[in-house]
Amino acid sequence: MSDVPAKPVLLTGASGALGRVMARDLAAAGWRLRLTDIAPFPDPLPPGARFTRADLGDGVAVLRLAEGCGAVLHFGGVSVERPFEEVIGPNIRGLHHVYEAARREGARVVFASSNHAVGFHERAASIAASDPFLPDGYYGLSKAYGELMGRMYWMKHGVESVFLRIGSCLPEPVNARMLATYLSYADLVRLVSRAVLAPRVGACVVWGASANQAMTWWRDDDRATIGWAPQDSADRFAGQLQGKVSGDPVEERYMGGAFCSIDYSRTEPPTK
Ligand code: 15L
């Protein structure tokens, strides 16, 4: 099987940190990429790629961008906790435009979901991908809704999706929480490659975390379906990061960390 998709691949959010890594590495692997973002692309254009500046809120622009594409890597939209009114446009309407475009093209969607869709699960637990959504804010809620939208498009229209529940994808982990949530750039690139190249995926969920053994919160996902296994790990940072905690009881109790504390107004600690 070839490691290069037969058709071009559309990457939204191309000017963001993860978009830039994927644009560079997938282009280097010979993929034909259509890059788009609301912000200009800050790097020299990689070989075989073209960039179009567009707003996800412009449904016609998204349809045009997706023309002839076999997959959409959807990494665009708001990527941190923000007020509801700021999230709803890019992350809900924008996502709907992406799914309509995928439906028209018969393309697969690889959706950058997030650990924040399940951020209010307690760290003391270990959860399966099939456990309930427990979003830790409007951003996490938009990711949960996005996964549900993808499932609806699969059931109703046969649009395939891989939902990547990304943890913390950074050059290196920077605190104790990331001993569980860290995803290396190289593991991310291998993950999206498999998500695009795997023959049949239906609508499936994969935890976006490297092989972090020192601290593990997430289990039982669909990685076997796409043929991905992480190769990197945060474990070598355990010695230096174990004590790097915030002192905020809400942040340290739940998987979503600092996002859980934003605008948190309960006075009694929840019993369950
Ligand atoms: C995310 O979903 C965010 O996009 C990123 O900024 C990080 O905060 C990450 O989650 C995380 O949970 O560490």
Side-chain angles (χ1 to χ4, degrees):
M1 191 179 60
S2 164
D3 285 345
V4 177
K7 292 182 173 181
V9 170
L10 174 62
L11 170 61
T12 71
S15 305
L18 305 189
R20 291 167 69 188
V21 168
M22 289 184 290
R24 182 194 65 201
D25 290 2
L26 297 174
W31 290 32
R32 280 177 297 154
L33 295 175
R34 303 228 183 116
L35 310 175
T36 185
D37 202 295
I38 199 165
F41 190 65
D43 304 322
L45 211 52
R50 72 175 205 227
F51 177 78
T52 309
R53 205 165 162 184
D55 185 338
L56 290 170
D58 182 346
V60 174
V62 177
L63 285 176
R64 285 215 183 99
L65 281 163
E67 256 168 22
C69 288
V72 184
L73 300 177
H74 182 45
F75 280 67
V78 173
S79 64
V80 290
E81 179 60 356
R82 298 297 302 159
F84 180 71
E85 290 301 336
E86 287 181 37
V87 172
I88 191 161
N91 289 23
I92 305 294
R93 278 190 200 288
L95 182 78
H96 178 239
H97 294 149
V98 166
Y99 269 100
E100 275 302 296
R103 174 184 170 186
R104 200 170 78 166
E105 295 301 319
R108 179 180 298 175
V109 178
V110 177
F111 174 50
S113 181
S114 169
N115 73 91
H116 296 289
V118 292
F120 266 127
H121 282 281
E122 300 213 12
R123 295 183 188 187
S126 124
I127 57 169
S130 56
D131 279 329
F133 289 118
L134 270 184
D136 56 29
Y138 298 120
Y139 165 69
L141 191 56
S142 77
K143 295 299 183 182
Y145 188 88
E147 291 192 25
L148 288 171
M149 189 183 295
R151 287 198 180 273
M152 187 277 274
Y153 270 80
W154 167 239
M155 295 306 292
K156 202 159 216 174
H157 306 299
V159 175
E160 290 193 306
S161 284
V162 183
F163 309 116
L164 309 180
R165 297 241 182 106
I166 299 174
S168 307
C169 194
L170 298 168
E172 285 189 353
V174 297
N175 57 33
R177 171 176 173 269
M178 291 184 193
L179 294 173
T181 61
Y182 175 64
L183 174 68
S184 73
Y185 283 164
D187 277 339
L188 170 74
V189 172
R190 289 187 282 263
L191 176 55
V192 296
S193 303
R194 289 308 313 152
V196 170
L197 295 168
R200 299 174 82 84
V201 298
C204 72
V205 181
V206 181
W207 297 113
S210 286
N212 309 323
Q213 306 294 327
M215 209 151 84
T216 306
W217 300 336
W218 304 323
R219 59 180 163 79
D220 299 336
D221 63 7
D222 295 310
R223 63 193 55 202
T225 304
I226 65 166
W228 176 74
Q231 295 176 23
D232 296 325
S233 170
D235 292 0
R236 68 196 165 91
F237 297 92
Q240 77 198 67
L241 293 180
Q242 228 125 40
K244 211 156 173 220
V245 294
S246 65
D248 174 336
V250 174
E251 177 172 343
E252 297 303 327
R253 180 171 177 175
Y254 299 109
M255 294 178 182
F259 283 36
C260 298
S261 306
I262 299 172
D263 199 27
Y264 187 88
S265 70
R266 282 179 87 144
T267 45
E268 297 295 322
T271 48
K272 189 66 197 151

